[in-house]
Amino acid sequence: MSESVHTVATLPTARQPGCPFDPPAELTDARRHGPISRYPFPDGHEGWLITGYDLVRSVLADSRFSSRKELMFHHPLIDYTGVEVPPAAPGEFLLMDEPQHGRYRKPLVGKFTVRRMRQLTERVEQITAEHLDAMEKAGPPTDLVTAFATPIPAIMICELLGVPYEDRGYFQKQVESFMSGETSDEDLMAAYTATQTYLAELVAAKRANPTDDVLSDLTDSDLSDEELRGMSLILLAAGLDTTANMLALGTFALLRNPAQLAALRVDPTLADQAVEELLRYLSVAKTFMRTALEDVELGGQTIEAGTAVILSYNTANRDPERFADPQVLDLRRQDGGHLAFGHGIHQCLGQQLARVEMRVAFPALVNRFPTLRLAVAPEEVGLRPETADIYGVKSLPVTWDV
Ligand code: HEM
């Protein structure tokens, strides 16, 4: 017998004015009622919303909850009535369960180890320094998103995959189109198709002339061209936008917390901890979905087979039962274990790369420009809507003394 449970009527499409770093108030309020709420999807499906840390983590570790794309036919904010969601294309392993998921993830794991990514530190330092030099040369003001936050992860992921330098602008534009949360369905489809076509050509080129990169390495396996294309798409979609938004939104958060920013500037040993805290505090990958494959008892409720579950990573990372003063950005925080990279079989494959990029980029930025500040009022900084998969700022106008 299920206990009585709170219901969230609709999910918000924007955050509270003046609170750009906090999860939407409706979600925090839901967590106060308990870690699990009912959520009526716009298509009428009676689903669930999980906002508490322990329950989110336990669902992520539970193989009775599926990530299969064809089971995700309810959208938390959009009425999908009548829409048939096809299974994930070969290689798109983020949207698969075992054993299909493992077939694609396993050959990639060795390419993203802590050791492999540490070896890239020098390259990240070099790219970061080049972009800071360019900012200094052009002078203030500038948009930190285009001058710094987007190009650094874009160059790293393109180099890892072996996307030629001259194609990067085109590439970033397509990915930006399907991540912004403001693209029409038609443009979304066009960007997706253009990216697919481009990646198919890239895979063929690597097969014909392998170079020193992850994609070329993978052509020496039993994976088909179609599978390699799908894997590349997932890596790009997951690796470009996430880190870029962490860098830009993270800088915004540091500028709004000057004592924390100053601590990071004077203490280089703080970088690793600071990055973990920014990941927790901002949780840019804010919600993911799962579908129950069988009836599951969870938090005093029965989640029936076939029911959709929204996992709110950002409220889980602000759960006071897990983190002391969770609403405070404290770069010296000791209680780790955030869920910003997820948990379980789909836990972020690129997390070590993202960490290296952020550990280099944040301290380098705040040290190069000690007087860095917003060039507009904080409330004028444009934020992404909640319809975007990844949260962040649209642009971040900054200035500094010369
Ligand atoms: C700060 C930056 C990043 C954040 C916050 C982040 C967050 C996440 C999260 C939460 C998941 C789990 C999704 C789920 O549970 O369904 C995930 C999966 C994934 N991420 Fe990241 N990510 C970041 C950077 C990257 C980078 C740089 C790459 C690639 C180079 C990457 C590649 C992936 C891949 C391939 C998956 C799917 C793993 C699987 O299904 O087994 N991510 N990421």
Side-chain angles (χ1 to χ4, degrees):
M1 189 58 180
S2 288
E3 295 163 20
S4 76
V5 64
H6 177 69
T7 297
V8 172
T10 51
L11 288 183
T13 52
R15 304 222 169 178
Q16 294 289 104
C19 305
F21 312 119
D22 295 341
E26 292 83 345
L27 298 187
T28 305
D29 184 52
R31 198 199 52 226
R32 284 197 193 106
H33 283 89
I36 181 164
S37 309
R38 287 241 70 143
Y39 181 65
F41 281 68
D43 64 3
H45 176 76
E46 283 295 323
W48 299 91
L49 169 70
I50 304 191
T51 47
Y53 180 95
D54 287 342
L55 279 199
V56 168
R57 198 166 185 279
S58 78
V59 170
L60 289 171
D62 189 335
S63 60
R64 292 174 298 173
F65 288 97
S66 171
S67 287
R68 273 160 54 198
K69 186 175 171 187
E70 69 273 27
L71 300 181
M72 309 279 180
F73 41 79
H74 310 288
H75 191 284
L77 288 163
I78 302 165
D79 187 346
Y80 261 18
T81 307
V83 175
E84 283 236 356
V85 180
E92 293 184 2
F93 59 104
L94 172 70
L95 302 169
M96 294 178 182
D97 296 341
E98 301 304 5
Q100 290 81 3
H101 165 264
R103 167 170 165 75
Y104 303 114
R105 179 161 171 135
K106 272 195 203 106
L108 285 169
V109 170
K111 319 268 177 220
F112 287 91
T113 57
V114 178
R115 194 176 57 85
R116 287 282 291 252
M117 294 305 126
R118 287 230 175 96
Q119 289 166 351
L120 290 179
T121 304
E122 226 172 272
R123 182 71 188 124
V124 177
E125 284 169 352
Q126 195 184 3
I127 296 167
T128 303
E130 282 168 16
H131 285 83
L132 292 173
D133 290 348
M135 276 171 64
E136 203 170 347
K137 194 160 167 238
T142 195
D143 170 21
L144 200 83
V145 172
T146 46
F148 188 76
T150 305
I152 296 171
I155 293 173
M156 287 311 294
I157 191 78
C158 286
E159 285 188 3
L160 265 175
L161 270 181
V163 174
Y165 188 80
E166 58 278 12
D167 296 349
R168 284 185 200 151
Y170 169 79
F171 216 83
Q172 251 171 264
K173 204 171 134 251
Q174 306 304 330
V175 175
E176 171 58 23
S177 286
F178 54 86
M179 300 302 280
S180 73
E182 292 183 309
T183 308
S184 67
D185 284 354
E186 213 171 290
D187 291 348
L188 200 71
M189 212 47 221
Y192 182 72
T193 311
T195 311
Q196 294 279 43
T197 309
Y198 176 82
L199 287 174
E201 286 166 9
L202 186 68
V203 170
K206 298 293 169 191
R207 233 189 241 294
N209 289 307
T211 37
D212 183 16
D213 49 67
V214 169
L215 193 51
S216 296
D217 288 358
L218 291 175
T219 58
D220 194 17
S221 68
D222 67 346
L223 293 159
S224 70
D225 284 8
E226 206 189 0
E227 291 177 307
L228 291 176
R229 186 189 67 183
M231 291 163 76
S232 310
L233 183 75
I234 291 294
L235 283 172
L236 282 162
L240 274 179
D241 200 50
T242 41
T243 318
N245 278 294
M246 267 305 298
L247 287 174
L249 191 68
T251 303
F252 185 19
L254 288 170
L255 292 172
R256 300 294 293 143
N257 289 271
Q260 299 292 315
L261 188 150
L264 180 62
R265 185 182 296 125
V266 297
D267 182 359
T269 66
L270 196 56
D272 292 12
Q273 239 174 308
V275 164
E276 297 313 307
E277 173 64 348
L278 285 165
L279 281 161
R280 179 197 72 83
Y281 183 72
L282 299 170
S283 299
V284 295
K286 53 197 167 42
T287 45
F288 280 88
M289 293 211 356
R290 296 291 189 266
T291 299
L293 293 173
E294 53 185 90
D295 290 1
V296 180
E297 297 298 317
L298 198 73
Q301 305 299 326
T302 305
I303 315 291
E304 286 175 7
T307 314
V309 175
I310 305 168
L311 302 172
S312 169
Y313 289 29
N314 54 2
T315 49
N317 279 334
R318 297 286 190 98
D319 188 340
E321 290 187 15
R322 178 62 181 72
F323 300 100
D325 296 326
Q327 71 289 359
V328 175
L329 176 72
D330 174 8
L331 302 188
R332 296 189 190 280
R333 182 181 289 277
Q334 297 294 332
D335 42 5
H338 65 71
L339 297 173
F341 288 125
H343 178 67
I345 65 161
H346 291 282
Q347 193 182 42
C348 182
L349 181 76
Q351 59 186 283
Q352 303 308 346
L353 173 60
R355 286 191 167 107
V356 168
E357 291 172 357
M358 290 185 283
R359 286 169 184 174
V360 168
F362 281 123
L365 174 71
V366 300
N367 279 302
R368 178 72 73 97
F369 301 109
T371 57
L372 190 76
R373 56 190 180 274
L374 291 177
V376 294
E379 53 281 7
E380 281 170 29
V381 173
L383 302 163
R384 275 191 173 183
E386 290 298 293
T387 43
D389 287 333
I390 305 297
Y391 183 61
V393 292
K394 293 179 187 170
S395 65
L396 190 70
V398 291
T399 189
W400 58 90
D401 295 342
V402 285

